[in-house]
Amino acid sequence: MTYTRLTKTFIGLMVIAAAGTIGDAILSMHGQGWHPWLATALMLAAVGTSRMKVTIPGIAGNMSVNLPFLLMSVITLSATESILIACACAVMQTLPKDGGKLKPVRVLFNVSMMTFASGVSGLLFHQHILSRLGWMSAPVLMAVTTATFFLSQTLPVSVIVALTDGGAVRRIWTNIAQMSFPYYVVSAGVTSMVHSASQNIGWLAPLLVLPVMYGIYRSYRLYFARAVEATSRPIGMTATAGVSH
């Protein structure tokens, strides 16, 4: 993998964007409060499932099943809390297996991308900017938040893959989107249902997602198995949460 000057510039821009998101989240924290029990439960669930991954056909990488926990943290916690959870998941996903060498630049990009995606989505959801629109309902707001999270992950990944491994950004993004978008839709639905349940059972709500996500994890592995074997020239990338480099 080659890190050209343009690649380093783009990673630097992602770091700056992440830093700005963190600053905005801290400034907005006083109006959102802290949720220690729910945040701890979501942290454990999200980090614990970060290594449960499925290989995406046509892409030399994978997709983790912890997305619903990340979405839950975005809509139920403060932006600062959701960013901390997203960063922890990004680091866990990037840790090498089988004694491999840790790649600091990849960790930096993944953490920055996840910080930006989680922070922007959370700020959009909690600032009530869209809620002022007459046609905006809770399901639509959830869909817009999920779409923001989706684009904030997949677009930076597509750009960095194009810069490091070559290829057209549009083609890479289309490939990623086709494989991961259905999972985002399912995750948004699961998140909405669990969010409703959390109003009655509180921090225990994330536990309800675990068996559901394990079932989805098994289904994705079985569904993608043959397609992965048939893929002869994958695009080089690794995924975090939904997708990442």
Side-chain angles (χ1 to χ4, degrees):
M1 182 176 297
T2 303
Y3 293 103
T4 63
R5 179 177 297 179
L6 185 58
T7 303
K8 295 177 181 178
T9 299
F10 180 71
I11 295 175
L13 291 175
M14 287 301 305
V15 172
I16 294 174
T21 303
I22 293 174
D24 197 7
I26 293 175
L27 292 176
S28 304
M29 186 173 56
H30 68 278
Q32 299 176 15
W34 290 96
H35 313 80
W37 290 107
L38 182 57
T40 300
L42 286 172
M43 172 75 81
L44 293 175
V47 174
T49 55
S50 292
R51 306 295 281 190
M52 294 175 60
K53 299 175 288 187
V54 292
T55 301
I56 305 175
I59 301 173
N62 38 64
M63 181 172 62
S64 176
V65 300
N66 63 357
L67 180 58
F69 302 112
L70 295 175
L71 288 176
M72 285 181 61
S73 71
V74 165
I75 68 174
T76 59
L77 304 177
S78 67
T80 303
E81 290 170 319
S82 65
I83 286 174
L84 290 174
I85 293 174
C87 289
C89 291
V91 173
M92 179 63 69
Q93 276 292 114
T94 316
L95 292 178
K97 290 184 176 181
D98 303 325
K101 185 178 180 181
L102 182 67
K103 299 180 179 179
V105 176
R106 176 169 292 183
V107 175
L108 179 63
F109 174 80
N110 283 347
V111 170
S112 299
M113 182 270 295
M114 286 300 298
T115 297
F116 179 74
S118 180
V120 168
S121 302
L123 292 171
L124 175 67
F125 186 88
H126 292 292
Q127 289 298 323
H128 305 295
I129 298 175
L130 298 178
S131 300
R132 300 171 186 172
L133 302 176
W135 50 268
M136 183 61 62
S137 61
V140 175
L141 181 58
M142 183 68 215
V144 173
T145 302
T146 303
T148 302
F149 199 90
F150 171 73
L151 293 174
S152 299
Q153 282 194 308
T154 56
L155 287 176
V157 167
S158 301
V159 173
I160 199 67
V161 170
L163 291 174
T164 56
D165 298 334
V169 173
R170 181 178 178 180
R171 179 180 62 84
I172 296 171
W173 182 83
T174 301
N175 192 10
I176 295 173
Q178 287 177 341
M179 296 299 174
S180 62
F181 182 75
Y183 180 59
Y184 278 82
V185 174
V186 172
S187 297
V190 171
T191 300
S192 296
M193 291 186 291
V194 175
H195 178 53
S196 298
S198 67
Q199 297 177 5
N200 296 319
I201 62 177
W203 63 271
L204 293 175
L207 298 180
L208 299 177
V209 185
L210 291 174
V212 176
M213 299 319 300
Y214 181 75
I216 294 176
Y217 165 70
R218 295 293 301 173
S219 298
Y220 258 89
R221 289 195 64 180
L222 293 174
Y223 181 76
F224 283 162
R226 293 183 180 179
V228 170
E229 293 177 359
T231 302
S232 57
R233 297 187 63 183
I235 301 172
M237 64 168 281
T238 303
T240 301
V243 284
S244 77
H245 181 60

